[in-house]
Amino acid sequence: EVQLEESGGGSVQSGGSLRLSCAASGYVVSSFCMAWFRQAPGKVREAVAAIIYIGGNKQWYADSVKGRFTISQENSNYTLFLQMNNLRREDTAVYYCAAGGYRCTTLPERDSVYNYWGQGTQVTVSS
C-alpha cells in the first residue's frame, strides 16, 4: 500500500511558476514509476510527467509541457516534485500524483498502469 498526498497548488498569472510536491509513504519501493497527471474540467485525465526507475531514473514528459515543467524526486523520502514554469491558462487543472507498477515503465502516459493516486491539488492560471 502506498499513500500519496499532493500540495503546492494555487492560483498564478500566466507566465508564472508553481512547484507541486507529493509526499509518499508506505511501501513506495514497490513502485516502478511515479508520475504527475492532470485533469481539466470537462476533459480526460492526462499524463504530464513521469520518473521511470528502471534504466537510471528516466524522465518522460508530455509534449505540451516539455521545456516548461521539470519532474524530480528527493530520494531520501520519495517526495516527488513538479516545477512548473511559464504557466499558461491551458495548464489549469487538478494535478494528481501517481505511483505505478511494472507496466508504467513502457507506458508512463497511461493512467491505467498506475496503482496509487493522491487526492489532487488545484492549479489555476489566469491571464
Side-chain angles (χ1 to χ4, degrees):
E1 188 77 18
V2 175
Q3 294 81 42
L4 303 170
E5 183 174 2
E6 305 92 340
S7 61
S11 297
V12 65
Q13 288 193 324
S14 181
S17 298
L18 281 174
R19 189 191 196 206
L20 305 183
S21 298
C22 173
S25 60
Y27 196 46
V28 185
V29 294
S30 66
S31 300
F32 287 82
C33 311
M34 289 189 73
W36 289 97
F37 282 74
R38 67 186 180 186
Q39 187 167 21
K43 295 189 176 182
V44 299
R45 185 165 56 189
E46 62 175 358
V48 175
I51 291 180
I52 302 164
Y53 299 138
I54 291 180
N57 284 10
K58 292 185 295 184
Q59 296 182 357
W60 175 92
Y61 293 94
D63 288 343
S64 59
V65 305
K66 281 180 182 176
R68 300 189 299 123
F69 290 11
T70 302
I71 190 171
S72 61
Q73 188 162 35
E74 187 174 314
N75 291 333
S76 62
N77 59 11
Y78 294 97
T79 299
L80 189 71
F81 301 100
L82 185 68
Q83 178 66 44
M84 304 186 295
N85 298 329
N86 192 19
L87 283 160
R88 305 167 181 168
R89 287 190 64 184
E90 53 264 38
D91 295 318
T92 295
V94 177
Y95 283 71
Y96 298 92
C97 174
Y102 184 76
R103 289 180 66 204
C104 69
T105 62
T106 55
L107 297 167
E109 72 280 12
R110 191 172 294 183
D111 61 358
S112 61
V113 303
Y114 292 86
N115 311 109
Y116 303 102
W117 294 84
Q119 294 299 306
T121 186
Q122 176 71 45
V123 171
T124 302
V125 184
S126 58
S127 58

